[in-house]
Amino acid sequence: MGVWIRTKNKERLINCKSLYIGIIHFGNGGKGDNGIESYGIYEDEVIGTLGNYNSKEKTLKVLDMIQQYIQSKDNEDMVFQMPQDEKVKV
């Protein structure tokens, strides 16, 4: 069983079996880099992020939302829409 998740940009609908959080770095990658860091939610078998957020807390909140969505459903085929960053309140 998996859950169908539509990516934040709404361009992909993916049957997800396993999700994890990864860190995305923007910048030159050197130590002391002032580049931007964000957190993404990924699926093991899919290349690319399902959605990225500007804090680890927001990203964990979205995983909590997915978990609650799964637990509230009776059927096997369900779709969760990844929320936009500004819609996630921690």
Side-chain angles (χ1 to χ4, degrees):
M1 182 183 112
V3 60
W4 287 93
I5 296 181
R6 190 164 186 179
T7 57
K8 195 166 107 174
N9 65 11
K10 300 182 181 181
E11 294 178 356
R12 297 174 77 185
L13 187 61
I14 301 162
N15 188 355
C16 299
K17 295 182 179 20
S18 175
L19 300 171
Y20 67 94
I21 293 175
I23 299 174
I24 305 165
H25 297 281
F26 302 97
N28 67 18
K31 289 193 174 187
D33 184 0
N34 290 330
I36 300 168
E37 179 176 275
S38 72
Y39 296 82
I41 296 178
Y42 298 88
E43 203 277 337
D44 280 337
E45 298 178 10
V46 177
I47 297 173
T49 181
L50 300 174
N52 61 305
Y53 301 91
N54 63 15
S55 73
K56 185 174 182 179
E57 292 78 17
K58 281 188 177 186
T59 310
L60 288 170
K61 177 67 174 177
V62 173
L63 280 181
D64 290 343
M65 292 166 67
I66 294 169
Q67 179 180 343
Q68 290 170 357
Y69 185 82
I70 292 168
Q71 290 174 332
S72 70
K73 300 297 177 184
D74 294 329
N75 62 350
E76 289 188 25
D77 296 322
M78 43 191 132
V79 177
F80 178 86
Q81 172 66 54
M82 296 295 286
Q84 296 298 318
D85 188 84
E86 61 275 3
K87 300 285 184 182
V88 180
K89 306 296 181 205
V90 291

